Amino acid sequence: MAVRLKTDYCKGFISDEDVKGIIPEIEGARKTLENGTGAGADFTGWVRLPYDYDKEEYARIKAAAEKIKAKCDVLLVIGIGGSYLGARAAIEFVKSPLYNTLKKDTPDIYFTGNSISSTALSELLEICDGKDICINVISKSGTTTEPAVAFRIFRDLLIRKYGKKEAYERIFITTDKARGALKKLADAEGCETFVVPDDIGGRYSVLTAVGLLPIAVAGIDTDVMLKGAYDAAEKLRAASFEDNDAMKYAAYRNLLYRQGKTMEIMASYEAGYAMMNEWWKQLYGESEGKDGKGIFPASVIFSTDLHSLGQYIQEGLRNMFETVVTFREPTADVAIPYDEDNEDGLNFLFGKTMFEVNANAEAATMLAHYDGGVPNIVLEFDKKDAYNFGYAVYFFEYACGISGYTLGVNPFNQPGVEAYKKNMYALLGKPGYEELGVELKKRING
Ligand code: PA5
């Protein structure tokens, strides 16, 4: 099994009786998810995705990745939220947060269209200067403003650089199979197109073309990744509560929430986990934060953040629990050398490796935080590789569906995301939003 859940550091907060008490609810939530009888059931295609994916499209994704690798120095991945977080998390988890600066025979990959920062966009335009470029634009709706604006700018760059025909051969579109502006453009210009399935929402889509194409371009073995997801599905969909760590994770976080632990901090001691944290925050934040309910998902990378948020976690408001992601094996390791003079007093570390020191920092911190009143759930992975990534994605998605139904919300919609969009369109003068625009400007200007 690639992910193991440990709850030793929840003792004193959660009793065996508490766990027994919530099992029927968790089992009910799992049944609701599996039978497709709950709210948002139309968006649960990801549950069967590891068996039920489109094999012909998967072969095209792999072929397109090879084409992109051969054609360009830089791949621009344009998308926001669920349309980029998973791919970026995979690349940083399996390769490195420094992927672009590593020695490699695959293109640099930049993620854009995930903000409206003029500075970030200008910097990327500068980076692209003199480079051969391909674009993978990803938007299920095809209408999201951030990626649409970035796509307009980079498409224009490609057309000026290569001419219309070649530009469109360098643009790969991942969108709805029938609807939206991107689909229309793909049909008109003959761009290679991949589909975001109707029954899979953005934040559950990393194992579809949304994630697979950029991940394959980075040189990650997607077959191995999908095998990880398949094994997770086989295990977690069949196992009973006693043997099912996704169900237990859902149970413990709901029990802690009911005790007033309204914030979950995902903690890892690996810098390569930072984007995985971001992916997880979107998955759980958008799935559970609604109807006035939900655990607030936060994240830290230790020991870095022990020197910033560590103080608060140790002694601040006791409304939180941590979920600590730990790795059994390092991806790489460095031995600590002996120093004759020992002026830094570190010879007591001689003979140890950085991985061992990090593991001790982890054990020490968990005890300190637990003693300080912060329960810790531990999720142990074997290592940071493609198989474990695939397994972890399915694990977190499956637990999220169960957890959301246990909480009593629809884990597959995101109605709250529309509020800022409406206001932004009104302020920018989008046709149809004139009246709201006048009202908002009055409020802003007093
Ligand atoms: O999870 C979700 O559904 C969202 O985060 C979307 O992924 C995000 O809003 C981007 O939407 P789209 O792919 O339609 O541009």
Side-chain angles (χ1 to χ4, degrees), residues 3-62:
V3 181
R4 288 163 293 273
L5 176 124
K6 297 177 183 174
T7 54
D8 301 343
Y9 294 123
C10 289
K11 279 191 190 122
F13 295 94
I14 304 291
S15 68
D16 291 348
E17 284 310 303
D18 294 332
V19 177
K20 261 188 218 137
I22 202 172
I23 290 176
E25 284 179 68
I26 297 288
E27 283 173 341
R30 202 243 300 245
K31 214 176 265 169
T32 303
L33 177 66
E34 284 287 348
N35 296 344
T37 49
D42 289 352
F43 290 95
T44 55
W46 56 270
V47 173
R48 283 160 205 85
L49 185 68
Y51 323 96
D52 264 2
Y53 62 94
D54 178 341
K55 313 283 183 305
E56 180 274 328
E57 175 168 86
Y58 182 51
R60 273 197 313 112
I61 291 170
K62 292 211 267 187

Side-chain angles (χ1 to χ4, degrees), residues 80-83 138-144 147 201-204 282 286 414 417 421:
I80 195 165
S83 289
I138 308 167
S139 177
K140 183 173 183 178
S141 62
T143 57
T144 310
R203 61 189 175 275
Y204 292 84
Q282 191 220 1
E286 272 194 3
Q414 55 285 327
V417 179
K421 286 188 192 168

